[in-house]
Amino acid sequence: MAKPVMLTEEGLKRLEEELEVLKGEKRKEIAEKIKVARSYGDLSENSEYDDAKNEQAILEARIADIEASLKNAVLIDESEINNDKVHVGSTVVIKNIATDKEMTVRIVGSNESNPKEMKISDESPVGMGLIGKVVDDVAEIETPGGVVAYKVIEILK
């Protein structure tokens, strides 16, 4: 059985929209590139054709990946999220004990992670270290640069 993919409502919607774009306009766009490249003649020495076919393969792989994620999606009911413990869907204020720096992160499923938006995967070392913690708990997380300790300051909804 495939591993469940944890998604928020927002993440589910984003994946569905991406899938629609990829299956619609992106497929047509690549099919047109292939058609144009074929018109150049000899396919054995046609780099435009090779590039278009590679692009098509990448597109189809992404479509398959999204479809598999959607098939195995487990929707996080954000209305049932409580602030007692950190879990997927929680927004958490944490403090790096060594630097005394605070930051707010959101724990999301791996498909939704985006470090630039401070969305951290539940499968990442930080995400796994924070899951199950309560306010004032300290999570010691193994990173490539050594162990980093984060104190849970607040769990927001």
Side-chain angles (χ1 to χ4, degrees):
M1 189 176 143
K3 187 174 132 215
V5 177
M6 305 299 285
L7 289 172
T8 60
E9 188 78 44
E10 173 191 340
L12 179 66
K13 187 174 183 228
R14 200 181 76 243
L15 277 180
E16 288 171 339
E17 288 170 356
E18 182 183 354
L19 184 61
E20 192 175 314
V21 169
L22 294 178
K23 283 182 146 183
E25 60 195 65
K26 282 292 187 187
R27 267 187 176 158
K28 287 178 188 158
E29 191 180 295
I30 292 174
E32 186 59 32
K33 284 182 182 179
I34 291 170
K35 182 178 162 188
V36 168
R38 270 196 180 125
S39 72
Y40 296 151
D42 184 9
L43 297 181
S44 65
E45 294 180 19
N46 187 332
S47 65
E48 287 89 355
Y49 179 77
D50 291 341
D51 290 346
K53 290 300 277 182
N54 285 339
E55 195 175 338
Q56 181 184 43
I58 291 167
L59 173 79
E60 294 303 326
R62 179 65 183 145
I63 288 171
D65 185 45
I66 292 172
E67 287 176 335
S69 293
L70 292 174
K71 182 178 163 204
N72 298 306
V74 174
L75 195 60
I76 301 161
D77 187 348
E78 295 181 63
S79 67
E80 292 180 11
I81 291 176
N82 63 45
N83 296 10
D84 299 343
K85 276 187 188 174
V86 177
H87 47 78
V88 178
S90 295
T91 299
V92 189
V93 179
I94 56 176
K95 179 165 62 172
N96 182 321
I97 292 176
T99 65
D100 213 33
K101 232 180 169 178
E102 280 191 17
M103 62 182 157
T104 302
V105 298
R106 181 149 191 231
I107 310 297
V108 296
S110 59
N111 275 33
E112 292 182 73
S113 71
N114 184 339
K116 289 180 186 168
E117 295 177 7
M118 300 306 284
K119 291 181 179 178
I120 298 186
S121 167
D122 61 331
E123 297 176 13
S124 71
V126 174
M128 287 190 300
L130 290 173
I131 298 248
K133 298 290 188 235
V134 297
V135 173
D136 290 332
D137 276 358
V138 174
E140 292 188 354
I141 297 160
E142 188 72 44
T143 70
V147 175
V148 178
Y150 291 105
K151 182 175 183 177
V152 176
I153 303 300
E154 186 178 2
I155 302 170
L156 309 166
K157 204 149 193 166

